[in-house]
Amino acid sequence: MDKETITITVIGVDECPLYHVGDVFHLAGKKLSAPYGKSTCLILVQDITGILMKYECMNGSSRYRFDCSGCGGLARLEYRRSELTEPEFFADDIHSIACSMQKSTFFRIFSEEGFRRLTSLLRKKDYPAGKIIVRKGDPGTGLFIIARGKTEVLGKNNIRIATIGEGDLFGEMSLISGDPAAATVCALTPVTALFLDAGSFRSVFHENPAFQIYLTRMLAHRISATNLLRSREIASGISGNLTEISPLELFQTLYANQKTGVLVLKLPGGLGVASFLEGRLIRAKLNEKTDKEALLDILQVREGRYKFNPGLPPEETRTDEIDNLLKLLMEAARHEQTGG
């Protein structure tokens, strides 16, 4: 069955106090959505309503340009109406797709300027049902934001461990850690995704503290949902082998669970120590190296043993955080990718 999409795009302004060239209004059913991050001009809404009523009655041209009635300024707009089949329901314009998803928590974290910057870096990708989008063991290439459709996350023996859909993200952990993809992601239905490549991801990450916080919370949620038992065991003081859980996963787990204590790592190259205060990294040491330099080396190790000891000496509870741990993990990933 064909579906109709209607967009009204601002193509010119003359001292308009609200809108800029390129801003897009979307009509879904009877609901008109204003451009992302913008308030609604009631005068312009009346003008658009009049245009919609006119063309609904006349069944006229699918494209029409008009001026608003004006308040403190003027805006020139283009009305466009299209009949699209289901696989093509979304426009090719990245900004329009992102605007149509403005209720998504991910897009709401950005300022208007940040949103424009982000959409300028995104690319649209389409996948048929059954297509593998990310394969377990492959290097991370970028961040995927699902605009339409559903995907399944497959673990060991291709067992489905999660289903994710519109507004959800995947691919971010490989970019943060530098490790290969931990699971396979396959399209359950036809999928349209917005793709942010690895280099652009790092730029957006460092430019937007809100994005860092968003990923931190998402990481905590995923760990608690998919790895709760192991998280509890580690946080309770259990020891283990680094061939079963990497240093990166250990740091993520302690961070996400806001644990206080000392992580001791017996590594082939020496003894590593990392102190956590309510999940924040306050000290790291490996032989003669300390803090960021020590952390970079610890995260490269894939063999050895670990033990987490809950609690800190009183003097260490007054120590400042080294840096945001998620930022440090990003630096570690870049360090590994560039060879130091």
Side-chain angles (χ1 to χ4, degrees), residues 7 60 66 90 92 114 119 159 163 182 238 250 271 315 321:
T7 59
F66 65 99
F90 282 95
D92 286 330
T119 55
I159 296 176
T163 301
I238 197 170
L250 281 169
L271 185 68
E315 61 272 16
E321 182 180 21

Side-chain angles (χ1 to χ4, degrees), residues 131-328:
K131 177 71 173 179
I132 291 178
I133 303 173
V134 172
R135 190 182 300 274
K136 181 179 179 179
D138 285 352
T141 58
L143 174 71
F144 295 82
I145 308 158
I146 302 176
R148 172 182 174 274
K150 290 184 178 180
T151 67
E152 58 180 349
V153 182
L154 305 175
K156 188 176 181 180
N157 298 322
N158 285 329
I159 296 176
R160 183 188 297 178
I161 57 178
T163 301
I164 53 179
E166 182 175 333
D168 290 327
L169 318 180
F170 62 91
E172 77 290 341
M173 283 313 306
S174 290
L175 300 179
I176 293 171
S177 67
D179 290 337
T184 293
V185 180
C186 181
L188 269 177
T189 67
V191 168
T192 295
L194 301 181
F195 178 75
L196 186 68
D197 66 60
S200 298
F201 174 87
R202 286 190 284 271
S203 296
V204 174
F205 181 89
H206 288 291
E207 292 169 2
N208 295 273
F211 186 31
Q212 299 170 20
I213 295 171
Y214 178 84
L215 288 179
T216 299
R217 290 175 176 171
M218 187 172 70
L219 170 63
H221 174 74
R222 287 185 178 175
I223 289 178
S224 62
T226 63
N227 208 18
L228 183 58
L229 178 59
R230 185 168 65 181
S231 299
R232 287 173 175 170
E233 290 176 345
I234 294 170
S236 298
I238 197 170
S239 60
N241 199 308
L242 293 177
T243 58
E244 299 174 353
I245 179 171
S246 69
L248 173 67
E249 291 176 296
L250 281 169
F251 277 73
Q252 290 173 345
T253 299
L254 296 169
Y255 177 76
N257 286 275
Q258 300 182 356
K259 293 303 174 180
T260 297
V262 180
L263 178 65
V264 180
L265 304 107
K266 294 183 179 180
L267 310 175
L271 185 68
V273 178
S275 299
F276 292 82
L277 178 61
E278 296 180 349
R280 293 175 286 115
L281 183 65
I282 60 173
R283 182 170 69 97
K285 189 175 188 301
L286 178 61
N287 298 327
E288 300 302 317
K289 296 182 179 180
T290 60
D291 296 342
K292 292 184 182 180
E293 189 178 12
L295 178 66
L296 288 174
D297 283 358
I298 289 173
L299 292 177
Q300 310 307 312
V301 178
R302 296 295 181 267
E303 296 181 359
R305 294 192 61 81
Y306 68 86
K307 180 175 177 59
F308 179 72
N309 302 303
L312 285 176
E315 61 272 16
E316 286 203 10
T317 61
R318 295 185 291 272
T319 305
D320 292 333
E321 182 180 21
I322 294 175
D323 202 341
N324 180 282
L325 183 56
L326 203 56
K327 288 177 61 178
L328 294 177

